[in-house]
Short mmCIF file of all heavy atoms in Angstrom, two decimals:
data_model
loop_
_atom_site.label_atom_id
_atom_site.label_comp_id
_atom_site.label_asym_id
_atom_site.label_seq_id
_atom_site.Cartn_x
_atom_site.Cartn_y
_atom_site.Cartn_z
N GLU A 149 9.21 17.51 -0.36
CA GLU A 149 10.08 17.58 0.83
C GLU A 149 11.44 16.97 0.58
O GLU A 149 12.37 17.18 1.34
CB GLU A 149 9.43 16.86 2.02
CG GLU A 149 8.35 17.65 2.70
CD GLU A 149 8.85 18.91 3.40
OE1 GLU A 149 10.06 19.03 3.63
OE2 GLU A 149 8.02 19.77 3.70
N LEU A 152 13.77 13.69 4.32
CA LEU A 152 13.56 14.39 5.60
C LEU A 152 14.89 14.42 6.35
O LEU A 152 15.75 13.55 6.14
CB LEU A 152 12.51 13.67 6.46
CG LEU A 152 11.11 13.55 5.87
CD1 LEU A 152 10.11 13.16 6.97
CD2 LEU A 152 10.64 14.82 5.20
N ARG A 159 13.63 16.40 12.30
CA ARG A 159 12.68 15.51 11.62
C ARG A 159 11.28 15.67 12.22
O ARG A 159 10.29 15.81 11.50
CB ARG A 159 13.20 14.09 11.82
CG ARG A 159 12.79 13.10 10.82
CD ARG A 159 13.54 11.81 11.07
NE ARG A 159 12.87 10.74 10.38
CZ ARG A 159 13.14 10.37 9.13
NH1 ARG A 159 14.10 10.96 8.47
NH2 ARG A 159 12.46 9.40 8.56
N ILE A 162 9.55 18.87 11.07
CA ILE A 162 9.04 18.78 9.69
C ILE A 162 7.82 17.87 9.63
O ILE A 162 6.85 18.16 8.92
CB ILE A 162 10.14 18.27 8.72
CG1 ILE A 162 11.33 19.22 8.77
CG2 ILE A 162 9.60 18.05 7.32
CD1 ILE A 162 11.69 19.95 7.52
N LEU A 163 7.86 16.77 10.38
CA LEU A 163 6.73 15.83 10.37
C LEU A 163 5.45 16.52 10.85
O LEU A 163 4.35 16.28 10.32
CB LEU A 163 7.04 14.62 11.25
CG LEU A 163 7.97 13.58 10.60
CD1 LEU A 163 8.62 12.69 11.64
CD2 LEU A 163 7.21 12.74 9.57
N LYS A 164 5.59 17.42 11.83
CA LYS A 164 4.42 18.14 12.35
C LYS A 164 3.86 19.07 11.27
O LYS A 164 2.65 19.20 11.13
CB LYS A 164 4.81 18.95 13.59
CG LYS A 164 4.94 18.03 14.79
CD LYS A 164 4.85 18.76 16.12
CE LYS A 164 4.77 17.78 17.25
NZ LYS A 164 5.96 16.93 17.39
N ILE A 166 4.26 18.67 7.98
CA ILE A 166 3.68 17.81 6.92
C ILE A 166 2.27 17.36 7.31
O ILE A 166 1.35 17.34 6.49
CB ILE A 166 4.59 16.58 6.65
CG1 ILE A 166 5.91 17.03 6.00
CG2 ILE A 166 3.89 15.54 5.76
CD1 ILE A 166 6.94 15.93 5.83
N ALA A 167 2.09 17.02 8.59
CA ALA A 167 0.78 16.53 9.06
C ALA A 167 -0.33 17.57 8.85
O ALA A 167 -1.48 17.23 8.60
CB ALA A 167 0.88 16.14 10.53
N THR A 173 1.95 15.78 -0.42
CA THR A 173 3.39 15.93 -0.13
C THR A 173 4.17 14.75 -0.71
O THR A 173 3.75 13.60 -0.57
CB THR A 173 3.62 16.00 1.40
OG1 THR A 173 2.94 17.14 1.90
CG2 THR A 173 5.09 16.12 1.74
N ILE A 175 7.82 12.70 -0.75
CA ILE A 175 9.01 12.48 0.09
C ILE A 175 9.88 11.40 -0.56
O ILE A 175 9.35 10.41 -1.08
CB ILE A 175 8.60 12.04 1.52
CG1 ILE A 175 7.62 13.04 2.13
CG2 ILE A 175 9.82 11.86 2.41
CD1 ILE A 175 6.99 12.58 3.45
N GLU A 177 12.77 8.50 0.23
CA GLU A 177 13.28 7.75 1.38
C GLU A 177 14.08 6.53 0.93
O GLU A 177 13.80 5.97 -0.14
CB GLU A 177 12.11 7.33 2.29
CG GLU A 177 12.52 6.77 3.63
CD GLU A 177 13.54 7.64 4.39
OE1 GLU A 177 14.74 7.60 4.06
OE2 GLU A 177 13.13 8.36 5.32
N LEU A 182 12.43 3.22 5.33
CA LEU A 182 11.04 3.37 4.88
C LEU A 182 10.02 3.06 6.00
O LEU A 182 9.11 3.85 6.24
CB LEU A 182 10.77 2.47 3.66
CG LEU A 182 9.35 2.59 3.14
CD1 LEU A 182 9.18 3.86 2.32
CD2 LEU A 182 8.93 1.39 2.32
N THR A 183 10.19 1.94 6.70
CA THR A 183 9.22 1.56 7.72
C THR A 183 9.18 2.61 8.84
O THR A 183 8.10 2.98 9.31
CB THR A 183 9.56 0.17 8.30
OG1 THR A 183 9.89 -0.67 7.20
CG2 THR A 183 8.42 -0.43 9.05
N LYS A 184 10.37 3.09 9.21
CA LYS A 184 10.44 4.13 10.26
C LYS A 184 9.64 5.36 9.80
O LYS A 184 8.82 5.89 10.55
CB LYS A 184 11.91 4.51 10.50
CG LYS A 184 12.11 5.66 11.47
CD LYS A 184 13.60 5.94 11.64
CE LYS A 184 13.94 6.93 12.69
NZ LYS A 184 13.85 8.29 12.51
N LEU A 185 9.85 5.78 8.55
CA LEU A 185 9.14 6.96 8.04
C LEU A 185 7.63 6.73 8.04
O LEU A 185 6.86 7.60 8.46
CB LEU A 185 9.63 7.31 6.63
CG LEU A 185 8.87 8.45 5.95
CD1 LEU A 185 9.10 9.79 6.66
CD2 LEU A 185 9.25 8.59 4.49
N LEU A 186 7.19 5.56 7.59
CA LEU A 186 5.75 5.29 7.55
C LEU A 186 5.15 5.35 8.95
O LEU A 186 4.06 5.88 9.15
CB LEU A 186 5.48 3.91 6.91
CG LEU A 186 5.84 3.76 5.43
CD1 LEU A 186 5.57 2.35 4.95
CD2 LEU A 186 5.07 4.75 4.55
N GLU A 187 5.90 4.83 9.93
CA GLU A 187 5.40 4.85 11.32
C GLU A 187 5.34 6.29 11.85
O GLU A 187 4.38 6.68 12.51
CB GLU A 187 6.27 3.96 12.21
CG GLU A 187 5.82 2.52 12.09
CD GLU A 187 6.80 1.49 12.61
OE1 GLU A 187 7.86 1.90 13.13
OE2 GLU A 187 6.50 0.29 12.48
N GLU A 188 6.36 7.08 11.51
CA GLU A 188 6.36 8.48 11.95
C GLU A 188 5.19 9.24 11.30
O GLU A 188 4.53 10.04 11.96
CB GLU A 188 7.67 9.15 11.54
CG GLU A 188 8.87 8.67 12.35
CD GLU A 188 10.19 9.19 11.79
OE1 GLU A 188 10.30 9.36 10.56
OE2 GLU A 188 11.11 9.40 12.57
N LEU A 189 4.95 8.98 10.02
CA LEU A 189 3.85 9.66 9.33
C LEU A 189 2.51 9.25 9.95
O LEU A 189 1.63 10.09 10.16
CB LEU A 189 3.86 9.34 7.83
CG LEU A 189 4.97 10.01 7.01
CD1 LEU A 189 5.01 9.46 5.59
CD2 LEU A 189 4.81 11.52 6.97
N SER A 190 2.39 7.98 10.28
CA SER A 190 1.15 7.48 10.88
C SER A 190 0.92 8.14 12.26
O SER A 190 -0.19 8.56 12.58
CB SER A 190 1.23 5.96 11.01
OG SER A 190 0.11 5.48 11.65
N ASP A 191 2.00 8.26 13.05
CA ASP A 191 1.88 8.89 14.37
C ASP A 191 1.45 10.35 14.25
O ASP A 191 0.70 10.86 15.08
CB ASP A 191 3.23 8.86 15.11
CG ASP A 191 3.58 7.45 15.54
OD1 ASP A 191 2.69 6.59 15.50
OD2 ASP A 191 4.76 7.21 15.88
N ASN A 192 1.94 11.03 13.22
CA ASN A 192 1.66 12.46 13.08
C ASN A 192 0.40 12.76 12.29
O ASN A 192 -0.29 13.75 12.57
CB ASN A 192 2.86 13.16 12.41
CG ASN A 192 4.00 13.36 13.38
OD1 ASN A 192 4.03 14.34 14.11
ND2 ASN A 192 4.91 12.39 13.43
N CYS A 193 0.11 11.96 11.26
CA CYS A 193 -1.01 12.28 10.36
C CYS A 193 -2.25 11.42 10.64
O CYS A 193 -3.31 11.69 10.09
CB CYS A 193 -0.64 12.05 8.90
SG CYS A 193 0.87 12.85 8.39
N GLY A 194 -2.09 10.37 11.45
CA GLY A 194 -3.20 9.45 11.69
C GLY A 194 -3.07 8.27 10.74
O GLY A 194 -2.70 8.45 9.57
N GLU A 195 -3.45 7.07 11.25
CA GLU A 195 -3.19 5.85 10.46
C GLU A 195 -4.10 5.71 9.25
O GLU A 195 -3.84 4.90 8.36
CB GLU A 195 -3.28 4.61 11.36
CG GLU A 195 -4.63 4.48 12.04
CD GLU A 195 -4.72 3.27 12.96
OE1 GLU A 195 -3.68 2.77 13.41
OE2 GLU A 195 -5.86 2.84 13.20
N GLU A 196 -5.15 6.54 9.16
CA GLU A 196 -6.08 6.41 8.03
C GLU A 196 -5.65 7.24 6.82
O GLU A 196 -6.25 7.12 5.75
CB GLU A 196 -7.51 6.80 8.45
CG GLU A 196 -8.18 5.82 9.40
CD GLU A 196 -8.08 4.36 8.93
OE1 GLU A 196 -8.24 4.12 7.72
OE2 GLU A 196 -7.83 3.49 9.77
N ARG A 197 -4.66 8.13 7.00
CA ARG A 197 -4.25 9.01 5.89
C ARG A 197 -3.76 8.15 4.70
O ARG A 197 -3.04 7.18 4.89
CB ARG A 197 -3.12 9.94 6.37
CG ARG A 197 -2.69 11.00 5.36
CD ARG A 197 -3.54 12.23 5.37
NE ARG A 197 -3.38 13.10 6.51
CZ ARG A 197 -2.55 14.16 6.54
NH1 ARG A 197 -1.80 14.45 5.50
NH2 ARG A 197 -2.51 14.92 7.62
N LEU A 198 -4.18 8.55 3.48
CA LEU A 198 -3.80 7.78 2.28
C LEU A 198 -2.35 8.05 1.89
O LEU A 198 -1.87 9.17 2.04
CB LEU A 198 -4.67 8.20 1.10
CG LEU A 198 -5.99 7.49 0.87
CD1 LEU A 198 -6.65 8.04 -0.39
CD2 LEU A 198 -5.77 5.99 0.72
N ILE A 199 -1.71 7.02 1.36
CA ILE A 199 -0.32 7.16 0.93
C ILE A 199 -0.11 6.29 -0.30
O ILE A 199 -0.75 5.24 -0.44
CB ILE A 199 0.64 6.76 2.07
CG1 ILE A 199 2.07 7.13 1.71
CG2 ILE A 199 0.56 5.28 2.42
CD1 ILE A 199 2.96 7.28 2.89
N GLN A 200 0.77 6.76 -1.19
CA GLN A 200 1.23 5.87 -2.27
C GLN A 200 2.72 5.65 -2.07
O GLN A 200 3.47 6.63 -1.94
CB GLN A 200 0.98 6.47 -3.64
CG GLN A 200 1.61 5.59 -4.75
CD GLN A 200 1.40 6.14 -6.13
OE1 GLN A 200 0.36 5.93 -6.74
NE2 GLN A 200 2.38 6.86 -6.63
N VAL A 201 3.12 4.41 -2.02
CA VAL A 201 4.56 4.10 -1.93
C VAL A 201 4.95 3.52 -3.28
O VAL A 201 4.46 2.46 -3.68
CB VAL A 201 4.83 3.09 -0.79
CG1 VAL A 201 6.33 2.81 -0.70
CG2 VAL A 201 4.31 3.62 0.55
N LEU A 217 -2.02 4.58 5.71
CA LEU A 217 -0.70 4.40 6.33
C LEU A 217 -0.65 3.10 7.12
O LEU A 217 0.35 2.38 7.10
CB LEU A 217 -0.39 5.60 7.23
CG LEU A 217 0.20 6.80 6.51
CD1 LEU A 217 0.07 8.06 7.33
CD2 LEU A 217 1.67 6.56 6.18
N LYS A 218 -1.77 2.79 7.79
CA LYS A 218 -1.82 1.56 8.60
C LYS A 218 -1.56 0.33 7.72
O LYS A 218 -0.73 -0.52 8.06
CB LYS A 218 -3.22 1.47 9.23
CG LYS A 218 -3.40 0.34 10.18
CD LYS A 218 -4.82 0.31 10.68
CE LYS A 218 -5.00 -0.90 11.57
NZ LYS A 218 -6.37 -1.17 11.84
N ILE A 221 2.09 0.14 6.47
CA ILE A 221 3.01 -0.36 7.51
C ILE A 221 2.92 -1.88 7.60
O ILE A 221 3.94 -2.59 7.61
CB ILE A 221 2.70 0.31 8.88
CG1 ILE A 221 3.05 1.78 8.82
CG2 ILE A 221 3.44 -0.39 10.02
CD1 ILE A 221 2.53 2.62 9.98
N ILE A 235 7.54 8.51 -1.99
CA ILE A 235 6.27 8.45 -1.25
C ILE A 235 5.40 9.66 -1.59
O ILE A 235 5.91 10.79 -1.66
CB ILE A 235 6.62 8.43 0.25
CG1 ILE A 235 6.96 6.99 0.62
CG2 ILE A 235 5.50 8.91 1.12
CD1 ILE A 235 7.73 6.92 1.86
N VAL A 236 4.13 9.40 -1.81
CA VAL A 236 3.20 10.50 -2.09
C VAL A 236 2.10 10.43 -1.02
O VAL A 236 1.41 9.42 -0.90
CB VAL A 236 2.58 10.37 -3.51
CG1 VAL A 236 1.75 11.59 -3.84
CG2 VAL A 236 3.67 10.18 -4.56
N LEU A 237 2.01 11.48 -0.22
CA LEU A 237 1.11 11.49 0.92
C LEU A 237 -0.07 12.42 0.66
O LEU A 237 0.12 13.58 0.25
CB LEU A 237 1.88 11.97 2.16
CG LEU A 237 1.09 12.10 3.46
CD1 LEU A 237 0.82 10.72 4.06
CD2 LEU A 237 1.85 12.96 4.46
N GLU A 238 -1.26 11.92 0.93
CA GLU A 238 -2.47 12.75 0.78
C GLU A 238 -2.39 13.95 1.73
O GLU A 238 -1.89 13.81 2.86
CB GLU A 238 -3.67 11.88 1.16
CG GLU A 238 -5.01 12.58 1.10
CD GLU A 238 -6.13 11.68 1.65
OE1 GLU A 238 -5.92 10.97 2.64
OE2 GLU A 238 -7.21 11.72 1.06
#
Side-chain angles (χ1 to χ4, degrees):
E149 282 294 343
L152 299 195
R159 204 172 163 90
I162 301 243
L163 282 160
K164 284 200 171 63
I166 292 174
T173 299
I175 306 171
E177 191 50 281
L182 181 78
T183 316
K184 175 180 187 279
L185 175 67
L186 294 178
E187 277 164 3
E188 289 171 328
L189 287 172
S190 176
D191 290 346
N192 283 274
C193 308
E195 58 181 22
E196 290 311 319
R197 186 84 72 94
L198 272 182
I199 189 158
Q200 174 180 277
V201 181
L217 276 162
K218 185 183 176 193
I221 291 168
I235 277 161
V236 187
L237 178 75
E238 179 187 40

